């Protein structure tokens, strides 16, 4: 079976936040959802993670409806449970309650075993001047690359 390398990145998260910790979590999905992800039809730019009844959920993760699905098709923006060990969940819950810290999805990918995984990060929001600094660094890197190509 050929495995397409699906790796959907949340570029906005790296621009908006300082990433402090990274975790890889499984996602509880329906059959049509995993098929859509394998086609690359998912968007994690507006997604965020939250705790509901001591379980970590990802919200606003948009997985397009499966094109060959019948009336069993899934809802595009439903809440999905993230699968982590109890120790990791406890750690994330205590750190996530600290002021200014949030849990953001960084990437959605398919593992070697064919499971959908979500890379999440414990993040702290950047200030406006930090964002400008990031833009300056990116521009200087592009300029250096341009000069090196000549």
């Amino acid at each position: 079976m050929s495995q397409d390398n699906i790796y959907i990145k949340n570029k906005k998260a790296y621009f908006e936040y300082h990433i402090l910790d990274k975790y890889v979590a499984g996602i509880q999905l329906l059959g049509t959802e995993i098929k859509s992800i394998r086609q690359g039809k998912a968007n994690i730019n507006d997604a965020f993670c939250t705790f509901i009844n001591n379980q970590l959920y990802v919200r606003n993760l948009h997985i397009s409806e499966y094109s060959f699905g019948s009336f069993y098709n899934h809802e595009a923006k439903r809440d999905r449970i993230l699968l982590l060990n109890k120790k990791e969940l406890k750690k994330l819950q205590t750190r996530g309650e600290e002021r200014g810290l949030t849990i953001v999805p960084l990437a959605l990918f398919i593992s070697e075993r064919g499971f959908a995984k979500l890379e999440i990060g414990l993040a702290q929001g950047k200030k406006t001047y930090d964002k400008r600094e990031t833009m300056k660094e990116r521009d200087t890197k592009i300029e250096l690359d341009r000069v090196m190509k000549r």
Side-chain angles (χ1 to χ4, degrees):
M1 188 169 113
S2 68
Q3 191 62 267
D4 296 332
N5 285 342
I6 301 294
Y7 195 83
I8 301 163
K9 224 174 149 182
N10 187 357
K11 292 178 183 174
K12 196 168 95 173
Y14 288 98
F15 181 70
E16 300 275 336
Y17 301 99
H18 291 292
I19 310 301
L20 307 174
D21 263 342
K22 288 183 182 179
Y23 298 90
V24 174
I27 318 173
Q28 193 173 20
L29 295 173
L30 300 173
T32 53
E33 289 175 327
I34 186 68
K35 289 176 182 181
S36 285
I37 290 174
R38 285 193 180 125
Q39 290 179 341
K41 295 185 176 174
N43 182 358
I44 62 171
N45 286 340
D46 300 328
F48 63 96
C49 300
T50 184
F51 278 93
I52 302 170
N53 298 334
N54 292 332
Q55 284 190 316
L56 188 61
Y57 283 82
V58 62
R59 306 186 87 174
N60 278 357
L61 171 64
H62 186 276
I63 299 174
S64 299
E65 287 192 351
Y66 183 55
S67 52
F68 302 107
S70 60
F71 58 91
Y72 290 113
N73 231 329
H74 62 275
E75 238 180 273
K77 279 200 174 189
R78 72 179 188 87
D79 296 350
R80 295 167 182 90
I81 297 176
L82 292 181
L83 309 169
L84 288 161
N85 322 7
K86 282 187 180 173
K87 199 167 98 177
E88 289 175 324
L89 280 171
K90 192 70 124 174
K91 189 176 180 183
L92 272 173
Q93 193 165 14
T94 53
R95 296 281 311 273
E97 288 169 357
E98 289 178 29
R99 188 168 173 268
L101 293 184
T102 185
I103 305 164
V104 292
L106 302 174
L108 178 67
F109 62 95
I110 305 284
S111 68
E112 296 86 45
R113 292 174 59 194
F115 296 122
K117 300 284 183 180
L118 189 69
E119 186 181 14
I120 56 174
L122 189 66
Q124 187 173 29
K126 282 186 182 178
K127 303 277 187 270
T128 313
Y129 57 84
D130 290 333
K131 291 179 190 175
R132 283 197 295 267
E133 200 66 40
T134 307
M135 286 168 58
K136 282 179 192 171
E137 287 172 17
R138 192 181 323 129
D139 290 345
T140 54
K141 186 180 178 293
I142 290 169
E143 198 63 42
L144 278 172
D145 290 346
R146 239 184 245 144
V147 170
M148 295 298 250
K149 280 184 180 177
R150 287 183 190 166

